[in-house]
Amino acid sequence: MDNLLPDIRNAARAVIIRNEQLLLLRKEGGGKPERYALPGGGQDTGETLQQALVRECQEEIGTTVSVGKLLFVADFFKQRDSSPPSTRHVLELMFQCSVPGDYLPTSGHHPDKHQTGVVWMPLDDLERIQLFPASLGRHVMNALQGGIHPYLGVID
């Protein structure tokens, strides 16, 4: 793998579903078309995965999440916008989460890079939008239907 950074980063992601809709970050820019991603992010040293996920969601979606069960784990080789280009190995841990009942989609105080908003996306629309990673929609749907093994291997 070209320019693979030597460290592996843990990232906790929130799978938040309400009324047959998935909560997603909307991203634009960085030389890429509009795309969507799960809220969450990297685990800091000394932080549990749950603490990392609660902190990241406060920063990105402006609310405290309740962290539920671990849905799945995957290896992701993320292409970085660096000079020279590099790849970061990320261990993605996806948790089923919930938000307060009165939550309205809004960006938090420290949105993700290129984040332009937060949206409820109908589950039926996951196949037609640009998700990041691209295979995410299929894996989320499989997990919700109980048809997935906890470790996915490499996702893209």
Side-chain angles (χ1 to χ4, degrees), residues 14-18 21-25 37-39 61 63 65 99 103-106 118-121:
V15 177
I16 305 167
I17 296 177
R18 180 192 293 164
Q21 298 178 91
L22 177 64
L23 191 69
L24 295 170
L25 306 179
L38 291 174
I61 65 172
T63 193
V65 297
V99 292
Y103 175 74
L104 297 174
T106 186
V118 179
V119 299
W120 286 111
M121 183 65 64

Side-chain angles (χ1 to χ4, degrees), residues 17-131:
I17 296 177
R18 180 192 293 164
N19 300 325
E20 301 295 314
Q21 298 178 91
L22 177 64
L23 191 69
L24 295 170
L25 306 179
R26 183 177 58 238
K27 296 184 174 190
E28 298 175 15
K32 300 175 185 171
E34 179 183 70
R35 59 210 175 274
Y36 297 87
L38 291 174
Q43 180 182 22
D44 291 337
T45 302
E47 218 176 23
T48 68
L49 287 168
Q50 288 187 336
Q51 290 169 336
L53 190 50
V54 168
R55 174 185 51 77
E56 286 282 345
C57 286
Q58 277 286 353
E59 292 173 0
E60 295 172 355
I61 65 172
T63 193
T64 301
V65 297
S66 295
V67 181
K69 70 178 180 177
L70 177 67
L71 293 174
F72 49 85
V73 177
D75 287 292
F76 180 53
F77 294 93
K78 182 179 181 182
Q79 302 301 309
R80 297 190 57 194
D81 296 330
S82 59
S83 184
S86 61
T87 303
R88 167 160 279 163
H89 184 178
V90 182
L91 183 66
E92 297 276 351
L93 299 110
M94 317 287 182
F95 290 87
Q96 189 170 16
C97 295
S98 61
V99 292
D102 61 350
Y103 175 74
L104 297 174
T106 186
S107 292
H109 67 278
H110 191 253
D112 206 5
K113 186 176 183 180
H114 304 298
Q115 179 180 332
T116 59
V118 179
V119 299
W120 286 111
M121 183 65 64
L123 294 174
D124 291 342
D125 291 350
L126 293 182
E127 290 184 15
R128 71 165 186 78
I129 64 171
Q130 178 70 43
L131 283 171

